[in-house]
Amino acid sequence: MAATIDLKGKVAFIAGVADSTGYGWAIAKALADAGATIIVGTWPPVLKIFQMGLKKGSFDEDSALSDGSLMVIDKVYPLDAVFDTPDDVPEEIQNNKRYAGLDGFTISEVAAAVEKDYGKIDILVHSLANGPEVTKPLLETSRKGYLAASSASAYSAVSLLQKFGPIMNEGGSMLSLTYIASEKTIPGYGGGMSSAKAQLESDTRVLAFEAGRKWGLRVNTVSAGPLKSRAASAIGKEPGQKTFIEYAIDYSRANSPLEQDLYSDDVGNSALFLLSPLARSVTGVTLYVDNGLHSMGMALDSKSMEAE
């Protein structure tokens, strides 16, 4: 009998969705296609724009499911994952006009709100990262910038599981997104972001043990290949030059074992498997979804490979 994934009755919270171009959206869509109820956490400064886009139908084309219906995001919560509790929010943020009228956006407050609205959830997705000095080489990165990258991109996953774990059903699953820069040198991906991704992968293994024993949850991460999302396109953008992500995509296409484009749906479908009962025995894993680029030790498009 063919294996099928049925997530009807399951609730999935995806942290870090603010448009339809990233991997977070693709994962939400794959889960929705399997029947899950989708709720998301969105960074407060872009919350109104995202909600307006949803209301206007700006994302309808990217919301189409396999049965012809559109994905429904049941609720959108304001979430700033660098703050664990209200006491962590500095005055400058409290008075920031981009946060005006919002409260309850720290991780602990969002977890409490989700519990109030839905009771227990089954799936937790960490799809967010930020490095304020990502365009700087590590040798030029400040302590503040390095720690900010670690806080937003790695510790935020730890905190999410700390706060959401108690409201997740046994057998539930958490997933994060990482990048090959965690283990290989990727020039241009700086500001401590490579270190943050290495932390995230290490924490995945530790959390798999701790959350598995404490709550019966699985914890995995997907090492995704480059995608031209809105956030990634902002890295290293200089007038008249390709962005970092454009270089990364071209390099991947030229050197991967599979000569094909990588789509967000590829990551969404792989995430669906890891978050579903089909992967009930899979935890602590970094799954590469990158057309095999991680396995290569030589660049095929290097000038040194050219015939004389």
Side-chain angles (χ1 to χ4, degrees):
M1 184 175 69
T4 58
I5 298 176
D6 183 1
L7 298 180
K8 292 182 180 69
K10 306 294 185 182
V11 178
F13 179 80
I14 298 97
V17 176
D19 58 35
S20 63
T21 66
Y23 286 136
W25 179 276
I27 293 171
K29 186 175 169 183
L31 294 170
D33 216 11
T37 297
I38 305 299
I39 54 178
V40 305
T42 301
W43 191 44
V46 297
L47 177 64
K48 290 183 179 178
I49 295 174
F50 181 54
Q51 289 177 318
M52 189 179 301
L54 288 172
K55 187 175 181 180
K56 291 170 57 180
S58 302
F59 307 122
D60 283 359
E61 185 176 348
D62 296 326
S63 300
L65 302 180
S66 59
D67 64 359
S69 66
L70 299 181
M71 174 176 68
V72 174
I73 296 179
D74 211 51
K75 190 161 185 177
V76 180
Y77 296 85
L79 171 67
D80 194 324
V82 301
F83 304 121
D84 302 317
T85 68
D87 290 341
D88 297 326
V89 182
E91 188 175 340
E92 64 186 79
I93 293 294
Q94 295 175 13
N95 297 329
N96 189 313
K97 64 180 182 180
R98 296 198 296 176
Y99 288 74
L102 296 176
D103 55 17
F105 53 78
T106 68
I107 294 176
S108 61
E109 290 174 296
V110 174
V114 169
E115 182 180 24
K116 180 180 178 182
D117 293 338
Y118 295 91
K120 296 264 187 176
I121 68 169
D122 305 277
I123 292 167
L124 178 64
V125 178
H126 176 274
S127 178
L128 50 89
N130 184 48
E133 298 181 16
V134 67
T135 58
K136 291 184 178 181
L138 190 56
L139 279 174
E140 298 174 14
T141 299
S142 69
R143 181 184 296 271
K144 182 179 180 181
Y146 183 98
L147 294 177
S150 176
S151 172
S153 311
Y155 185 77
S156 56
V158 176
S159 183
L160 272 175
L161 190 53
Q162 281 180 358
K163 307 303 187 296
F164 277 83
I167 67 165
M168 293 182 70
N169 287 311
E170 185 174 354
S173 182
M174 178 186 180
L175 184 78
S176 63
L177 291 165
T178 185
Y179 183 48
I180 194 66
S182 63
E183 58 184 274
K184 304 283 178 64
T185 302
I186 307 292
Y189 193 73
M193 280 301 302
S194 57
S195 309
K197 292 301 186 182
Q199 287 175 263
L200 183 65
E201 292 180 20
S202 178
D203 292 344
T204 294
R205 294 184 287 272
V206 176
L207 292 173
F209 167 72
E210 294 184 359
R213 292 299 181 93
K214 188 170 186 176
W215 298 307
L217 304 177
R218 298 182 297 105
V219 184
N220 294 295
T221 189
V222 166
S223 184
L227 175 74
K228 196 175 180 181
S229 65
R230 177 189 57 80
S233 297
I235 302 175
K237 188 172 179 59
E238 299 291 338
Q241 297 183 14
K242 290 197 294 187
T243 62
F244 166 81
I245 198 65
E246 288 170 333
Y247 280 113
I249 290 171
D250 289 346
Y251 180 89
S252 179
R253 188 182 293 115
N255 294 288
S256 295
L258 297 177
E259 294 183 276
Q260 60 185 18
D261 290 327
L262 181 72
Y263 297 106
S264 61
D265 288 348
D266 296 321
V267 171
N269 291 330
S270 297
L272 173 62
F273 161 70
L274 286 175
L275 293 166
S276 79
L278 292 182
R280 63 178 295 270
S281 298
V282 180
T283 194
V285 163
T286 297
L287 177 66
Y288 298 95
V289 185
D290 62 356
N291 285 324
L293 183 63
H294 71 279
S295 67
M296 298 298 293
M298 182 177 287
L300 297 178
D301 62 348
S302 170
K303 289 183 180 181
S304 63
M305 297 289 288
E306 295 177 2
E308 296 183 359

